[in-house]
């Protein structure tokens, strides 16, 4: 008997693209069902992340017209990672495998077939990885690839050129549920789960409609969130920097004593001023990095819920429309 697949799609102000996204996903599910690869209880689960447009109205209408579509409505906007987690945890008890993807149709829906094949071959996690970035501008390619290199250099293990397009088995989802941190960075948490993994390469397309939800400023913030959530390497770098500065200060002390012994006791003000500003800047930078970690400890200690659901659209009589 074929296993149940849920495709989890976080949505924030996606009214422009949802009609086309739902059409393509319905065709994909129906094709996989007809081929006997997935159960007819499989669904597409749209997660409304506190959208300000008609996104939830469209999701509700899709569910009324065809119960291949389900929906989960968050009480307020919680961000992409929390919305994605909400969808995966909602799907966990209803499916055998779940695939997460964005609503903008940049992720190649046809890669779902290969992901499902690898699942049946024994993989619990299958990563969708971009085969190339030839379509990107130089700036986009440089910043995106720099993002992954920076993350790995700072100790946050990620899969290169992989975003949040992945398949997870039921036991992988149960493993994910055991990670209780409030500061979420799923691209770094999922590789920690373990189990057998696979990859599927795909060509990422252009956004079908609407605007990107990840401009450069948000990408930088996302990188900082990931690094400070998964690694203490920045704090260790501060320790190393402090040790280097201490060695330099000892060297400068020896140099000053030698100059005093030679009778050259008048030193320039410029070097002193530069030193003061340099040390002051390093102290402020170090305090900022440490503050990031203290802030995360503060948020984690509160143990606030990562998301709250207002409504989940369930199947009518447990049957999908045919």
């Amino acid at each position: 008997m074929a296993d149940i697949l849920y495709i989890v799609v976080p949505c924030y102000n996606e009214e422009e693209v949802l009609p086309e996204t739902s059409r393509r996903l319905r065709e994909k599910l129906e094709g996989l069902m007809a081929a006997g690869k997935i159960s007819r209880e499989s669904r597409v689960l749209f997660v409304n992340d506190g959208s300000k447009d008609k996104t939830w109205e469209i999701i509700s209408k899709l569910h009324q017209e065809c119960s291949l579509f389900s929906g989960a409505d968050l009480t307020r906007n919680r961000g992409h990672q929390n919305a994605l987690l909400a969808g995966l945890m909602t799907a966990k008890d209803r499916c055998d495998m779940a695939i997460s993807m964005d609503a903008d149709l940049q992720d190649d829906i046809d890669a779902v077939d290969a992901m499902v094949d690898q699942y049946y071959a024994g993989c619990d996690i299958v990563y969708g990885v971009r085969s190339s970035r030839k379509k990107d501008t130089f700036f986009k390619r440089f910043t995106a690839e720099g993002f992954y290199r920076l993350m790995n250099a700072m100790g946050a293990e990620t899969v290169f050129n992989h975003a949040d397009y992945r398949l997870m088995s039921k036991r992988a989802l149960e493993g994910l549920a055991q990670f209780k941190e409030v500061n979420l960075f799923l691209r770094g948490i999922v590789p920690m789960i373990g189990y057998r993994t696979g990859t599927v390469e795909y060509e990422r397309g252009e956004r079908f409609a609407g605007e990107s939800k990840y401009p450069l400023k948000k990408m930088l913030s996302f990188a900082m969130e990931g690094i400070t959530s998964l690694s203490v390497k920045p704090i260790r770098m501060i320790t190393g920097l402090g040790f280097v500065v201490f060695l330099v200060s000892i060297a400068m002390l020896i140099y000053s004593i030698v100059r005093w012994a030679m009778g050259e006791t008048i030193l320039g003000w410029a070097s002193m001023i530069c030193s003061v500003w340099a040390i002051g800047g390093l102290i402020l930078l170090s305090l900022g990095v440490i503050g990031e970690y203290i802030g995360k400890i503060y948020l984690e200690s509160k143990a606030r819920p990562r998301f709250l659901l207002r409504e989940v659209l369930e199947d009518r009589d447990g049957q999908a429309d045919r």
Side-chain angles (χ1 to χ4, degrees), residues 188-260:
I189 292 176
V190 172
M192 295 181 182
I193 296 173
Y195 297 127
R196 181 179 172 184
T197 65
T199 59
V200 171
E201 291 191 348
Y202 70 98
E203 192 74 28
R204 190 168 170 85
E206 298 292 332
R207 183 179 176 86
F208 181 78
E211 298 180 353
S212 172
K213 304 301 187 297
Y214 276 93
L216 177 61
K217 182 179 179 181
K218 194 167 184 179
M219 282 294 293
L220 291 173
S221 175
F222 193 48
M224 179 63 73
E225 179 75 19
I227 292 167
T228 53
S229 295
L230 299 172
S231 172
V232 295
K233 193 169 184 179
I235 290 183
R236 291 174 179 168
M237 290 175 66
I238 290 175
T239 303
L241 181 60
F243 183 70
V244 170
V245 172
F246 174 72
L247 292 179
V248 171
S249 68
I250 295 297
M252 289 301 295
L253 176 62
I254 295 172
Y255 173 74
S256 298
I257 293 173
V258 171
R259 292 291 298 269
W260 174 78

Side-chain angles (χ1 to χ4, degrees), residues 4 20 103 118 130 235 281:
I4 300 172
E20 180 64 18
Q118 290 210 28
R130 293 187 62 164
I235 290 183

Side-chain angles (χ1 to χ4, degrees), residues 50-181:
S51 298
K52 299 176 181 178
D53 60 5
K54 297 181 179 179
T55 294
W56 182 243
E57 294 177 28
I58 295 173
I59 294 172
S60 299
K61 184 179 179 181
L62 288 169
H63 174 69
Q64 291 171 4
E65 294 174 349
C66 173
S67 57
L68 280 177
F69 299 111
S70 184
D73 187 26
L74 272 61
T75 56
R76 58 180 290 269
N77 177 256
R78 293 308 306 262
H80 179 272
Q81 296 292 280
N82 286 285
L84 178 54
L85 181 69
L88 292 174
M89 293 301 98
T90 301
K92 175 172 65 71
D93 298 325
R94 298 168 168 83
C95 70
D96 300 299
M97 53 179 158
I99 293 178
S100 58
M101 63 184 302
D102 291 336
D104 56 16
L105 294 176
Q106 288 187 284
D107 297 326
D108 183 9
I109 293 177
D110 289 333
V112 168
D113 301 66
M115 289 183 175
V116 172
D117 288 341
Q118 290 210 28
Y119 164 79
Y120 284 120
C123 291
D124 285 283
I125 302 172
V126 183
Y127 299 105
V129 177
R130 293 187 62 164
S131 57
S132 70
R133 289 185 174 271
K134 294 179 180 179
K135 295 181 180 179
D136 290 346
T137 63
F138 171 79
F139 179 76
K140 174 65 176 177
R141 183 167 60 252
F142 176 79
T143 54
E145 293 183 349
F147 168 83
Y148 293 104
R149 292 192 175 94
L150 174 64
M151 295 295 296
N152 289 323
M154 288 296 177
E157 181 185 350
T158 59
V159 178
F160 190 74
N161 271 340
H162 163 71
D164 287 299
Y165 189 23
R166 69 179 76 88
L167 178 147
M168 299 181 70
S169 69
K170 186 179 185 67
R171 71 171 179 170
L173 291 172
E174 290 172 345
L176 177 61
Q178 296 182 49
F179 288 78
K180 301 299 184 181
E181 54 254 56

Side-chain angles (χ1 to χ4, degrees), residues 21-40:
T21 301
S22 60
R23 183 188 68 81
R24 296 190 192 183
L25 287 176
R26 179 173 180 172
E27 288 180 355
K28 176 55 63 180
L29 279 187
E30 290 176 341
L32 290 170
M33 289 175 184
K37 287 189 174 183
I38 61 174
S39 167
R40 292 195 172 273

Side-chain angles (χ1 to χ4, degrees), residues 271-307:
S271 59
M272 183 182 71
I273 294 299
C274 290
S275 298
V276 170
W277 280 97
I279 296 300
L282 287 174
I283 291 172
L284 290 175
L285 176 62
S286 301
L287 287 174
V289 173
I290 294 171
E292 283 286 332
Y293 282 93
I294 293 174
K296 281 182 168 50
I297 294 171
Y298 171 72
L299 293 174
E300 293 290 344
S301 67
K302 287 179 175 293
R304 290 173 174 169
R306 293 171 290 185
F307 57 85

